[in-house]
């Protein structure tokens, strides 16, 4: 007899530990309780592109429900606690129900479309401002400042810029109180907005990343 999903034990992952490697078969998807994870791809020359982020309360790689396989590697960016939900139990009522997982797939597709537009058509500041604004919204916090547990190198791998360029943009945003840099911590303020065209943090359209 199958355990109820709520009875499946949580799994712990260390920072930079893989939840899955490219090509791994998967008999479950993960529901994240604490911590952040990412999906990424490595180019032949070693450069990395992070193609998705997964935050607390979200399903990590919900499309595994259909494919049963990880095409790209998935890794914890922080210490991570997640519950593995067996694929065979997703059609059961309650947490991890198929409706919830399909909704997560739709959200992931919409987010991926925004990601492509950002990389293809937005300048450096727009990419970073919109990324941080999206993360603030997904975290669902009303706090004035929200901790974004991403290193500048990781932000660079998300927005397709060099770490040096990311550092320069973040310092410019810090001067405008859009972000706060506290040692290695990055805090996104409520001044961060989805629409860079109406936001004082936006740079001129001619300055591209």
């Amino acid at each position: 007899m199958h355990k109820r999903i709520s009875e499946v034990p949580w799994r712990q992952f260390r920072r930079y530990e893989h939840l899955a490697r490219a090509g791994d078969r998967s008999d479950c998807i993960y529901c994240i309780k604490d911590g952040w994870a990412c999906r990424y791809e490595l180019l032949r020359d070693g450069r990395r592109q992070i193609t998705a982020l997964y935050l607390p309360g979200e399903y990590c790689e919900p499309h595994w429900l259909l494919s049963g396989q990880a095409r790209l590697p998935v890794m914890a960016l922080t210490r991570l606690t997640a519950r593995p939900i067996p694929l065979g139990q997703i059609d059961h009522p309650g947490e991890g129900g198929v409706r919830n997982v399909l909704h997560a797939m739709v959200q992931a597709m919409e987010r991926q479309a925004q990601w492509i537009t950002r990389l293809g058509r937005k300048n450096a500041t727009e990419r970073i401002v919109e990324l941080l604004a999206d993360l603030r919204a997904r975290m669902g916090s009303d706090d004035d400042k929200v901790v974004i547990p991403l290193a500048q190198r990781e932000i660079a791998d998300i927005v397709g810029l060099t770490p040096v360029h990311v550092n320069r943009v973040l310092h410019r945003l810090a001067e405008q109180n859009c972000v706060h840099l506290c040692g290695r911590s990055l805090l996104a303020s409520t001044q961060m907005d989805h629409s860079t065209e109406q936001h004082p943090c936006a740079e001129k359209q001619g300055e591209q990343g």
Side-chain angles (χ1 to χ4, degrees):
M1 185 174 181
H2 291 301
K3 288 184 179 180
R4 296 178 57 184
I5 290 175
S6 60
E7 296 173 346
V8 176
W10 298 97
R11 283 193 59 186
Q12 307 289 330
F13 296 89
R14 301 183 304 277
R15 186 182 185 191
Y16 301 146
E17 182 178 355
H18 280 82
L19 283 71
R21 302 274 184 177
D24 283 355
R25 300 295 301 177
S26 180
D27 59 359
C28 69
I29 60 172
Y30 290 97
C31 179
I32 298 176
K33 179 181 180 184
D34 297 303
W36 291 35
C38 75
R39 181 182 68 225
Y40 69 93
E41 184 162 7
L42 284 179
L43 303 183
R44 291 184 178 179
D45 60 5
R47 287 177 296 164
R48 180 178 69 169
Q49 177 66 51
I50 293 177
T51 60
L53 291 171
Y54 297 107
L55 280 56
E58 297 181 352
Y59 293 104
C60 181
E61 299 289 80
H63 60 270
W64 286 353
L65 172 63
L66 302 179
S67 66
Q69 185 175 31
R71 193 184 70 81
L72 294 175
V74 179
M75 178 179 69
L77 288 173
T78 66
R79 291 175 61 89
L80 186 78
T81 302
R83 172 172 282 145
I85 303 176
L87 298 182
Q89 292 183 247
I90 287 177
D91 58 351
H92 292 192
E95 180 187 359
V98 67
R99 182 183 295 272
N100 293 338
V101 176
L102 291 176
H103 178 66
M105 285 188 204
V106 172
Q107 287 184 315
M109 291 174 59
E110 293 173 348
R111 197 170 291 129
Q112 205 74 61
Q114 295 171 355
W115 205 296
I116 293 169
T117 302
R118 195 177 297 144
L119 288 176
R121 293 298 180 183
K122 301 297 180 75
N123 61 41
T125 298
E126 288 173 324
R127 295 181 200 181
I128 293 174
V129 168
E130 291 185 15
L131 169 68
L132 298 180
D134 176 61
L135 294 176
R136 272 193 60 97
R138 288 166 65 182
M139 293 170 73
S141 174
D142 295 325
D143 294 343
D144 178 58
K145 300 179 183 68
V146 173
V147 176
I148 306 295
L150 296 174
Q152 292 186 22
R153 175 177 56 82
E154 292 162 349
I155 294 176
D157 289 346
I158 295 167
V159 297
L161 301 169
T162 65
V164 171
H165 200 157
V166 168
N167 180 268
R168 184 162 64 244
V169 171
L170 288 176
H171 276 86
R172 184 160 62 244
L173 297 179
E175 291 173 355
Q176 300 170 11
N177 292 319
C178 296
V179 301
H180 301 270
L181 304 174
C182 305
R184 295 186 177 182
S185 298
L186 171 63
L187 290 82
S189 79
T190 51
Q191 293 192 46
M192 199 66 63
D193 193 277
H194 286 280
S195 176
T196 57
E197 293 180 358
Q198 300 177 359
H199 199 282
C201 296
E203 64 189 12
K204 295 180 181 178
Q205 291 294 325
E207 184 180 342
Q208 297 295 322

